[in-house]
């Protein structure tokens, strides 16, 4: 009678739970694609992130940390299409997708790193998150890069007049193009893989980047580095938004917490 029906339904419900139980606890799968260099503060941060995530059974990631999945532009495209789930992009790389990010690169926008950090933390993090969210990318963590530098192959650059006749490699940013033109130089937009051949053949005579990139990627290729204490660079770790939204709250928290905290990162950089 009614009791038999109740027992049958209960057993059926329990059977369903047993079937769906393992599926609910499936680890979150994904690819991590970044362009990092060993023996740098950023590499150490990614190693820490990887060890935290790999120790957590809620995740099953594939790791591509040395640029195996391509340039920053290719990483952005891959993440927006959900072919790559977690990426890290510099402020120079972001301007191709969100031109407004170029404002952060404008020379002398900030008087100090402390001011830049304060503005980012208190006023810009939310609108930046919204801009990228509309394009299918979730901000997971802001990262620190610091002041930009200008590197040159065969002569030091101490004043703008030293740049006359030089071609500088830059990322596709209207702000950077305007800056280079304003100091009397020319520019070329090259991917990272094209940079060293460009320096060796004289296609470019230098470029704009950060000191860690120069030290690790261009060691032996350039003679001089000029610190531009007026061009602020930062980065963002992104996730594909749809993929991130599909994660459990615990998984989302773990993704954010596994990477070193921003104040510690800034101190290390």
């Amino acid at each position: 009678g009614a009791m038999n029906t109740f027992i049958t339904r209960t057993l059926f419900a329990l059977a369903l739970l047993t079937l769906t139980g393992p599926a609910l606890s499936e680890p979150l799968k994904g690819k991590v694609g970044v362009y990092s260099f060993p023996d740098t503060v950023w590499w150490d941060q990614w190693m820490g992130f990887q060890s935290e995530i790999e120790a957590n059974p809620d995740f099953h990631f594939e790791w591509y940390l040395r640029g195996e999945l391509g340039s920053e532009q290719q990483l952005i495209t891959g993440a927006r299409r959900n072919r790559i789930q977690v990426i890290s992009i510099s402020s120079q790389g972001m301007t191709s997708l969100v031109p407004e990010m170029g404002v952060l690169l404008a020379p002398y926008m900030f008087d100090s790193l402390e001011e830049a950090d304060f503005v980012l933390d208190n006023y810009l993090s939310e609108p930046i998150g919204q801009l990228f969210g509309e394009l299918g990318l979730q901000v997971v963590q802001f990262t620190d890069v610091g002041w930009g530098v200008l590197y040159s192959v065969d002569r030091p650059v101490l004043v703008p007049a030293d740049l006359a006749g030089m071609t500088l490699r830059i990322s596709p940013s209207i702000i950077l193009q305007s800056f280079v033109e304003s100091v009397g130089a020319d520019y070329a937009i090259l991917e990272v893989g094209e940079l060293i051949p460009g320096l060796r053949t004289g296609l470019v005579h230098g470029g704009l980047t950060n000191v860690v990139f120069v030290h690790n990627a261009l060691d032996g290729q350039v003679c001089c580095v000029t610190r531009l204490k007026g061009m602020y660079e930062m980065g963002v770790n992104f996730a594909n938004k749809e993929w991130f939204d599909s994660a459990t709250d615990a998984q989302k928290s773990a993704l954010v917490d596994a990477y070193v905290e921003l104040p510690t990162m800034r101190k290390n950089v």
Side-chain angles (χ1 to χ4, degrees):
M3 179 58 76
N4 280 346
T5 305
F6 172 76
I7 290 170
T8 303
R9 281 180 178 165
T10 304
L11 289 171
F12 182 68
L14 285 171
L16 270 181
L17 280 173
T18 308
L19 284 171
T20 56
L24 290 173
S25 61
E26 279 285 307
L28 188 66
K29 293 179 180 174
K31 288 181 182 175
V32 178
V34 301
Y35 207 119
S36 193
F37 298 94
D39 303 319
T40 66
V41 61
W42 299 309
W43 180 263
D44 293 343
Q45 286 159 190
W46 280 109
M47 289 295 98
F49 180 81
Q50 183 175 2
S51 64
E52 288 274 330
I53 292 296
E54 288 192 333
N56 189 330
D58 280 347
F59 299 97
H60 182 72
F61 281 3
E62 295 174 35
W63 303 90
Y64 303 92
L65 303 180
R66 297 172 185 251
E68 298 95 332
L69 299 183
S71 66
E72 288 195 320
Q73 305 312 314
Q74 289 168 312
L75 293 176
I76 289 171
T77 302
R80 292 185 71 196
R81 294 177 177 173
N82 205 19
R83 292 175 183 165
I84 311 168
Q85 284 65 49
V86 178
I87 62 172
S88 186
I89 303 294
S90 69
S91 45
Q92 289 197 30
M94 287 180 250
T95 58
S96 63
L97 185 62
V98 177
E100 293 91 333
M101 291 298 293
V103 173
L104 292 176
L105 291 167
Y108 304 103
M109 175 61 68
F110 304 108
D111 292 330
S112 66
L113 289 178
E114 289 75 22
E115 182 189 29
D117 294 343
F118 177 83
V119 172
L120 178 66
D121 294 348
N122 295 287
Y123 296 100
L124 292 183
S125 56
E126 194 172 317
I128 288 172
Q130 288 172 351
L131 284 168
F132 283 100
E134 290 166 9
L135 296 168
L137 294 174
Q138 170 72 40
V139 171
V140 178
Q141 175 78 270
F142 287 97
T143 66
D144 195 57
V145 177
W147 294 123
V149 299
L150 186 152
Y151 57 90
S152 47
V153 173
D154 55 16
R155 66 176 190 262
V157 174
L158 302 178
V159 294
D162 294 336
L163 288 164
M166 289 178 67
T167 300
L168 301 179
R169 180 262 178 179
I170 61 171
S171 298
S173 162
I174 293 170
I175 294 283
L176 295 181
Q177 291 168 22
S178 300
F179 169 70
V180 171
E181 288 173 344
S182 73
V183 294
D186 199 359
Y187 63 83
I189 297 169
L190 302 177
E191 293 287 5
V192 173
E194 302 170 315
L195 177 52
I196 289 179
L199 291 169
R200 287 177 175 168
T201 60
L203 178 65
V204 290
H205 310 105
L208 298 173
T209 185
N210 59 78
V211 71
V212 176
F213 181 86
V214 171
H215 179 71
N216 289 275
L218 303 179
D219 189 31
Q221 306 297 325
V222 301
C223 78
C224 313
V225 176
T226 306
R227 191 178 180 197
L228 304 174
K229 200 175 178 184
M231 196 174 281
Y232 171 73
E233 285 208 49
M234 43 79 81
V236 178
N237 297 342
F238 292 105
N240 172 274
K241 192 168 188 335
E242 191 179 335
W243 174 85
F244 187 84
D245 289 344
S246 74
T248 65
D249 288 344
Q251 287 169 333
K252 288 175 185 173
S253 296
L255 280 171
V256 173
D257 296 342
Y259 205 79
V260 66
E261 288 184 345
L262 193 50
T264 305
M265 188 192 317
R266 284 171 174 160
K267 185 180 168 189
N268 293 343
V269 170

